Amino acid sequence: MASFSDSRPDPDQLLDRLRGEDEKARRGKLRIYFGASAGVGKTYAMLSAAQRERKAGRDVLVGVIETHGRSETMELLAGLEQLPLREVAYRGRTLKEFDLDAALARKPAVLLVDELAHSNVEGSRHAKRWQDVHELLEAGIDVWSAVNVQHLESLNGTVGAITGIRVHETVPDTVLDGADEVILVDVTPDELMARLKAGKVYMPQQAERAAQNFFRKGNLIALREIALRRTAEHVEDDVRSYRVEKSIAPVWNTEGAILACIGPREGAEQTVRTAARLAGQLNVRWHAAYVETPRLQVLEVAQRDRTLAVIQLAEELGAETAVLTGSDAAAELVAQAQQLNCATLVVGRPQLAGWRALWAGPTMTRRLAALAPTLDIVEAGHADSARRLSRAVQRSAGDDEAADWQGKLPAYAWAAAGSAAITLLALPLLAFFDLANIVMLFLLGTVLVALKFGRGPAALAAFLNVAAFDFFFVAPRLSFAVSDVQYLVTFGVMLVVGLLTGQLTAGLRFQARIAASRERRAQSLFELTRDLSGALLSEQVIELGEAAVQRNFGGQVVVLATDAHDQLRPLANPAPDFDASVADWVFRNEQAAGLATATLSAQTWHYIPLKAPMRVRGVLALKPAQPRWLLIPEQMQQLDTLARQVAIALERVHYVEVAQEAVVQMESEKLRNVLLAAISHDVRTPLTALIGLADSLQRTAPPLSEAQAEAARAISSEARHLSTLVNNLLDMARLQSGAVNLKSEWQSVEEIVGSAIRQTQHALAGKAVTTDVPAGLPLVEFDAVLMERVLVNLLENAAKYGRAPVEVSAHVTDKALVFSVRDHGPGLPEAVRGREHELFEKFTRGVTESATPGVGLGLAICQAVVQAHRGQLTAGNAADGGAEFTVTLPRRLPPDLPENA
């Protein structure tokens, strides 16, 4: 019966499984084609499978596929329906992106979405393509995608260290872990390099650069190993999930994982060392477990601390540790091995010999072998010369002895007092009750003592109750002599029943206490999560986090959050033994330190980093009421979980504040642009009329007097200045709104320079302009109107702030066209040197207070236009004086003209 009840599935797990199956039925399935690098054939394999599905009658739709110009891959698109890409205007260019809304409306059975790590254009619904895929899956669409190992977030730094190349587009590991299918597409490094040379991976010029950088054989071997291991991990998770789903108890030795069984006796550290050495030799994962039974709860403090030190040693050696609870240590260890799919158990060799071994019963090895005959069991030998483990939390011997006596004496005293109380209660009842009923009173007392104080006091109560019953109630009374031999049987049965009852009651008390402890931890996490969900300020998060940790561990708790400069906020009134430098070290190194750690262990505080998904958001410092609690894995897991919840809440609050600031800035910018556009449109028409009237006035007959003509010229000049300002405002508003699309055509550089100089004749006011534009410059592709506007603004800027002559030059390189506009004035102001880029911000002028008219928009417009052309605009002082502005535009070879042109 016991084995049957133990094998029954957990009802909570069944409910969770049913909910998961219902969610899976509604959700689409994700298949990922996984590879070590580009060119292994992920897209080819995906399209080949899509063709098979199409021929089988499934509705297959190509959402987006990157063929990279590979003819074999492009041929596989034949016959597959392709979703049109949506066009997105971005910085003067038109880009093509995956159309998520169209895919949701079409809702095919299978949708192909290549390049899972792709970053979407600004303004898209989601920042990353994998987020698009998540929405498609939630809509019930099966999605097939592809990704390389270097794009996994957790491996980003590892791959960068191997290849020396930083990968900016990444995918969270949870996307791969949550995929329903992961298909590894693998080729040997030699075959991949042969493909690269044959032009099947990149175009010839790209292939040559790739061969010299990323596609070195050593890199490919390392990436292949990482991809194989990562796929194996996913398959291992699938095996575990299948075994749990099908309730398969026997271990499947697919990996050969190891479980180290930690015992309470000396030498347990050797078991851990042996398991670590075997795991290293076999290159497998390993675990360590300690089972706390009711009998082991009465161990002395020194023994408990030694066990905790062994558990900490296992963690330092790389094991995943657990402290289990149960009445049968062997059964709990076997269940743990089955759950973790461990094929090998490492146990300590028993040290008992002779009659002590017979008295102790079957060894742990024999009991494990009987319960799990398919598992391999390794006995670790003794190592008398090995070093003894030091306590992770140091205490004096006096503290241990005091703790033992303080913990034990009151319970045993209450047991003796209970026996005396029952005796006094039963003496007056002797005349009314039979001795059998008196015995029941003593057994009841034993049960109550066991329920309240545990096994040891219950055993004492059983012996005292038998002695009291014999002395006070059995004839001859007030003597331990027995007149009737039958009472010896009564005494024996009474003692055995009392001991057994106390044992069972103490076991139930132990299980109830463990269950209550787990419930308290779960309730604490629930309450913290619930409270944090409503926190809107970082101060509220800090207060709630400190209160939750203090409820669990007592003592003192401090949460240090980061400020706007990503530095820890100092405490106003820190505790005398609190060390802010340790907290700063933990924050910068993202590692725990202080009490119960291997770093700065002499500290009385335990410091852990508050790690959020994006970055570390602060440090949690704890000075617990009982330092040894930090050595118990379950307690540390609870602390880590609490810290994680606080970190996530701090990050959420941070991004809420960032989002609010961004919304305010966007609305302010939008309002400013709308006002500028409205004012500019309303002002430009009167200005045009004013300029025309002023010019006409200068040509009226009879001629104006000299004073009148000068006034007319002044009116015309100021109106033109104002017209230029209005035009700049309009141009800036259009550029900021993204309403300007580039009309790039092949243009003559000489014509653009000449046209710009003619337009600025009035602004130059007779200043000499020299040009250095070679006659044989090739055609360059750009928007003539916008680039002419850039040169006009630069010439006007030189006329305002510089001195003659103004020099305009242009030349080309293999990859760029370079314009330069230079004056011979005082150059850039001293205040902006070293910060020249600030000149190109809106409403920024080199001299804040100046008699020269202008509002600081000309250079900002130039910068926006040049960036729309994917170019660069820089400012600086020339070597022999004057300011110089340089425009660099990317160029490609112009098309060949027809021979009859």
Side-chain angles (χ1 to χ4, degrees), residues 471-488:
F471 190 80
F472 292 102
F473 298 95
V474 176
R477 297 174 61 187
L478 303 179
S479 171
F480 289 107
V482 178
S483 60
D484 192 345
V485 179
Q486 293 182 2
Y487 281 112
L488 295 177

PDB file of all heavy atoms in Angstrom, residues 471-488:
ATOM      1  N   PHE A 471       5.594   2.290  40.215  1.00  0.00           N
ATOM      2  CA  PHE A 471       5.889   2.718  41.591  1.00  0.00           C
ATOM      3  C   PHE A 471       4.629   3.117  42.340  1.00  0.00           C
ATOM      4  O   PHE A 471       4.466   2.801  43.527  1.00  0.00           O
ATOM      5  CB  PHE A 471       6.880   3.881  41.553  1.00  0.00           C
ATOM      6  CG  PHE A 471       7.433   4.248  42.896  1.00  0.00           C
ATOM      7  CD1 PHE A 471       8.465   3.510  43.476  1.00  0.00           C
ATOM      8  CD2 PHE A 471       6.909   5.325  43.611  1.00  0.00           C
ATOM      9  CE1 PHE A 471       8.963   3.851  44.704  1.00  0.00           C
ATOM     10  CE2 PHE A 471       7.415   5.673  44.848  1.00  0.00           C
ATOM     11  CZ  PHE A 471       8.444   4.935  45.396  1.00  0.00           C
ATOM     12  N   PHE A 472       3.719   3.837  41.648  1.00  0.00           N
ATOM     13  CA  PHE A 472       2.574   4.406  42.358  1.00  0.00           C
ATOM     14  C   PHE A 472       1.286   3.607  42.220  1.00  0.00           C
ATOM     15  O   PHE A 472       0.360   3.772  43.033  1.00  0.00           O
ATOM     16  CB  PHE A 472       2.309   5.833  41.880  1.00  0.00           C
ATOM     17  CG  PHE A 472       3.382   6.807  42.263  1.00  0.00           C
ATOM     18  CD1 PHE A 472       4.328   7.220  41.343  1.00  0.00           C
ATOM     19  CD2 PHE A 472       3.456   7.295  43.560  1.00  0.00           C
ATOM     20  CE1 PHE A 472       5.324   8.124  41.696  1.00  0.00           C
ATOM     21  CE2 PHE A 472       4.441   8.188  43.928  1.00  0.00           C
ATOM     22  CZ  PHE A 472       5.388   8.609  42.991  1.00  0.00           C
ATOM     23  N   PHE A 473       1.179   2.738  41.207  1.00  0.00           N
ATOM     24  CA  PHE A 473      -0.131   2.130  40.954  1.00  0.00           C
ATOM     25  C   PHE A 473      -0.146   0.599  41.010  1.00  0.00           C
ATOM     26  O   PHE A 473      -1.208   0.023  41.164  1.00  0.00           O
ATOM     27  CB  PHE A 473      -0.641   2.593  39.574  1.00  0.00           C
ATOM     28  CG  PHE A 473      -0.847   4.069  39.496  1.00  0.00           C
ATOM     29  CD1 PHE A 473       0.140   4.901  38.994  1.00  0.00           C
ATOM     30  CD2 PHE A 473      -2.025   4.631  39.955  1.00  0.00           C
ATOM     31  CE1 PHE A 473      -0.050   6.254  38.919  1.00  0.00           C
ATOM     32  CE2 PHE A 473      -2.213   6.003  39.888  1.00  0.00           C
ATOM     33  CZ  PHE A 473      -1.224   6.829  39.375  1.00  0.00           C
ATOM     34  N   VAL A 474       0.985  -0.076  40.883  1.00  0.00           N
ATOM     35  CA  VAL A 474       1.019  -1.539  40.874  1.00  0.00           C
ATOM     36  C   VAL A 474       1.436  -2.020  42.255  1.00  0.00           C
ATOM     37  O   VAL A 474       2.414  -1.526  42.823  1.00  0.00           O
ATOM     38  CB  VAL A 474       1.992  -2.062  39.792  1.00  0.00           C
ATOM     39  CG1 VAL A 474       2.092  -3.595  39.852  1.00  0.00           C
ATOM     40  CG2 VAL A 474       1.518  -1.611  38.407  1.00  0.00           C
ATOM     41  N   ALA A 475       0.679  -2.989  42.779  1.00  0.00           N
ATOM     42  CA  ALA A 475       0.993  -3.539  44.116  1.00  0.00           C
ATOM     43  C   ALA A 475       2.279  -4.366  44.041  1.00  0.00           C
ATOM     44  O   ALA A 475       2.511  -5.073  43.052  1.00  0.00           O
ATOM     45  CB  ALA A 475      -0.169  -4.411  44.600  1.00  0.00           C
ATOM     46  N   PRO A 476       3.132  -4.308  45.053  1.00  0.00           N
ATOM     47  CA  PRO A 476       3.023  -3.397  46.211  1.00  0.00           C
ATOM     48  C   PRO A 476       3.345  -1.960  45.791  1.00  0.00           C
ATOM     49  O   PRO A 476       4.315  -1.710  45.088  1.00  0.00           O
ATOM     50  CB  PRO A 476       4.067  -3.948  47.181  1.00  0.00           C
ATOM     51  CG  PRO A 476       5.071  -4.600  46.307  1.00  0.00           C
ATOM     52  CD  PRO A 476       4.334  -5.142  45.127  1.00  0.00           C
ATOM     53  N   ARG A 477       2.507  -1.003  46.172  1.00  0.00           N
ATOM     54  CA  ARG A 477       2.690   0.402  45.791  1.00  0.00           C
ATOM     55  C   ARG A 477       3.867   1.012  46.527  1.00  0.00           C
ATOM     56  O   ARG A 477       4.297   0.517  47.560  1.00  0.00           O
ATOM     57  CB  ARG A 477       1.403   1.164  46.084  1.00  0.00           C
ATOM     58  CG  ARG A 477       0.200   0.660  45.268  1.00  0.00           C
ATOM     59  CD  ARG A 477      -1.075   1.344  45.681  1.00  0.00           C
ATOM     60  NE  ARG A 477      -0.990   2.812  45.464  1.00  0.00           N
ATOM     61  CZ  ARG A 477      -1.935   3.660  45.882  1.00  0.00           C
ATOM     62  NH1 ARG A 477      -2.982   3.192  46.561  1.00  0.00           N
ATOM     63  NH2 ARG A 477      -1.789   4.943  45.643  1.00  0.00           N
ATOM     64  N   LEU A 478       4.345   2.125  45.958  1.00  0.00           N
ATOM     65  CA  LEU A 478       5.525   2.864  46.450  1.00  0.00           C
ATOM     66  C   LEU A 478       6.758   1.976  46.483  1.00  0.00           C
ATOM     67  O   LEU A 478       7.639   2.113  47.323  1.00  0.00           O
ATOM     68  CB  LEU A 478       5.246   3.463  47.840  1.00  0.00           C
ATOM     69  CG  LEU A 478       4.031   4.397  47.942  1.00  0.00           C
ATOM     70  CD1 LEU A 478       3.871   4.893  49.374  1.00  0.00           C
ATOM     71  CD2 LEU A 478       4.172   5.538  46.968  1.00  0.00           C
ATOM     72  N   SER A 479       6.774   1.024  45.568  1.00  0.00           N
ATOM     73  CA  SER A 479       7.920   0.133  45.455  1.00  0.00           C
ATOM     74  C   SER A 479       8.005  -0.343  44.006  1.00  0.00           C
ATOM     75  O   SER A 479       6.986  -0.476  43.312  1.00  0.00           O
ATOM     76  CB  SER A 479       7.767  -1.068  46.392  1.00  0.00           C
ATOM     77  OG  SER A 479       8.780  -2.033  46.118  1.00  0.00           O
ATOM     78  N   PHE A 480       9.218  -0.570  43.545  1.00  0.00           N
ATOM     79  CA  PHE A 480       9.399  -1.081  42.186  1.00  0.00           C
ATOM     80  C   PHE A 480       9.280  -2.604  42.123  1.00  0.00           C
ATOM     81  O   PHE A 480       9.416  -3.192  41.052  1.00  0.00           O
ATOM     82  CB  PHE A 480      10.768  -0.654  41.639  1.00  0.00           C
ATOM     83  CG  PHE A 480      10.841   0.812  41.332  1.00  0.00           C
ATOM     84  CD1 PHE A 480      11.575   1.658  42.142  1.00  0.00           C
ATOM     85  CD2 PHE A 480      10.152   1.347  40.253  1.00  0.00           C
ATOM     86  CE1 PHE A 480      11.651   3.018  41.860  1.00  0.00           C
ATOM     87  CE2 PHE A 480      10.220   2.699  39.973  1.00  0.00           C
ATOM     88  CZ  PHE A 480      10.966   3.545  40.781  1.00  0.00           C
ATOM     89  N   ALA A 481       9.047  -3.216  43.249  1.00  0.00           N
ATOM     90  CA  ALA A 481       8.850  -4.660  43.257  1.00  0.00           C
ATOM     91  C   ALA A 481       7.524  -5.004  42.598  1.00  0.00           C
ATOM     92  O   ALA A 481       6.550  -4.243  42.678  1.00  0.00           O
ATOM     93  CB  ALA A 481       8.884  -5.187  44.690  1.00  0.00           C
ATOM     94  N   VAL A 482       7.445  -6.179  41.955  1.00  0.00           N
ATOM     95  CA  VAL A 482       6.258  -6.608  41.225  1.00  0.00           C
ATOM     96  C   VAL A 482       5.780  -7.925  41.818  1.00  0.00           C
ATOM     97  O   VAL A 482       6.536  -8.909  41.855  1.00  0.00           O
ATOM     98  CB  VAL A 482       6.559  -6.772  39.716  1.00  0.00           C
ATOM     99  CG1 VAL A 482       5.311  -7.262  38.986  1.00  0.00           C
ATOM    100  CG2 VAL A 482       7.065  -5.466  39.134  1.00  0.00           C
ATOM    101  N   SER A 483       4.525  -7.929  42.284  1.00  0.00           N
ATOM    102  CA  SER A 483       3.994  -9.137  42.905  1.00  0.00           C
ATOM    103  C   SER A 483       3.462 -10.116  41.874  1.00  0.00           C
ATOM    104  O   SER A 483       3.474 -11.328  42.098  1.00  0.00           O
ATOM    105  CB  SER A 483       2.891  -8.762  43.897  1.00  0.00           C
ATOM    106  OG  SER A 483       1.842  -8.092  43.222  1.00  0.00           O
ATOM    107  N   ASP A 484       3.005  -9.598  40.770  1.00  0.00           N
ATOM    108  CA  ASP A 484       2.442 -10.440  39.718  1.00  0.00           C
ATOM    109  C   ASP A 484       3.319 -10.318  38.481  1.00  0.00           C
ATOM    110  O   ASP A 484       3.525  -9.209  37.949  1.00  0.00           O
ATOM    111  CB  ASP A 484       1.003 -10.003  39.420  1.00  0.00           C
ATOM    112  CG  ASP A 484       0.273 -11.022  38.545  1.00  0.00           C
ATOM    113  OD1 ASP A 484       0.952 -11.893  37.961  1.00  0.00           O
ATOM    114  OD2 ASP A 484      -0.964 -10.913  38.434  1.00  0.00           O
ATOM    115  N   VAL A 485       3.789 -11.455  37.998  1.00  0.00           N
ATOM    116  CA  VAL A 485       4.687 -11.448  36.832  1.00  0.00           C
ATOM    117  C   VAL A 485       3.983 -10.910  35.594  1.00  0.00           C
ATOM    118  O   VAL A 485       4.613 -10.359  34.678  1.00  0.00           O
ATOM    119  CB  VAL A 485       5.241 -12.873  36.588  1.00  0.00           C
ATOM    120  CG1 VAL A 485       6.159 -12.911  35.386  1.00  0.00           C
ATOM    121  CG2 VAL A 485       5.935 -13.392  37.829  1.00  0.00           C
ATOM    122  N   GLN A 486       2.659 -11.004  35.552  1.00  0.00           N
ATOM    123  CA  GLN A 486       1.941 -10.508  34.374  1.00  0.00           C
ATOM    124  C   GLN A 486       2.156  -9.011  34.156  1.00  0.00           C
ATOM    125  O   GLN A 486       2.071  -8.511  33.032  1.00  0.00           O
ATOM    126  CB  GLN A 486       0.450 -10.797  34.539  1.00  0.00           C
ATOM    127  CG  GLN A 486       0.112 -12.273  34.516  1.00  0.00           C
ATOM    128  CD  GLN A 486      -1.389 -12.515  34.633  1.00  0.00           C
ATOM    129  OE1 GLN A 486      -2.166 -11.558  34.701  1.00  0.00           O
ATOM    130  NE2 GLN A 486      -1.780 -13.780  34.675  1.00  0.00           N
ATOM    131  N   TYR A 487       2.414  -8.287  35.233  1.00  0.00           N
ATOM    132  CA  TYR A 487       2.631  -6.847  35.082  1.00  0.00           C
ATOM    133  C   TYR A 487       3.910  -6.547  34.289  1.00  0.00           C
ATOM    134  O   TYR A 487       4.059  -5.452  33.733  1.00  0.00           O
ATOM    135  CB  TYR A 487       2.681  -6.169  36.453  1.00  0.00           C
ATOM    136  CG  TYR A 487       1.309  -5.945  37.031  1.00  0.00           C
ATOM    137  CD1 TYR A 487       0.890  -6.651  38.165  1.00  0.00           C
ATOM    138  CD2 TYR A 487       0.434  -5.034  36.450  1.00  0.00           C
ATOM    139  CE1 TYR A 487      -0.370  -6.460  38.697  1.00  0.00           C
ATOM    140  CE2 TYR A 487      -0.827  -4.837  36.985  1.00  0.00           C
ATOM    141  CZ  TYR A 487      -1.229  -5.540  38.097  1.00  0.00           C
ATOM    142  OH  TYR A 487      -2.484  -5.337  38.623  1.00  0.00           O
ATOM    143  N   LEU A 488       4.840  -7.494  34.301  1.00  0.00           N
ATOM    144  CA  LEU A 488       6.039  -7.266  33.480  1.00  0.00           C
ATOM    145  C   LEU A 488       5.675  -7.157  32.001  1.00  0.00           C
ATOM    146  O   LEU A 488       6.233  -6.350  31.257  1.00  0.00           O
ATOM    147  CB  LEU A 488       7.044  -8.411  33.706  1.00  0.00           C
ATOM    148  CG  LEU A 488       7.630  -8.514  35.120  1.00  0.00           C
ATOM    149  CD1 LEU A 488       8.557  -9.726  35.224  1.00  0.00           C
ATOM    150  CD2 LEU A 488       8.392  -7.239  35.467  1.00  0.00           C
TER     151      LEU A 488
END
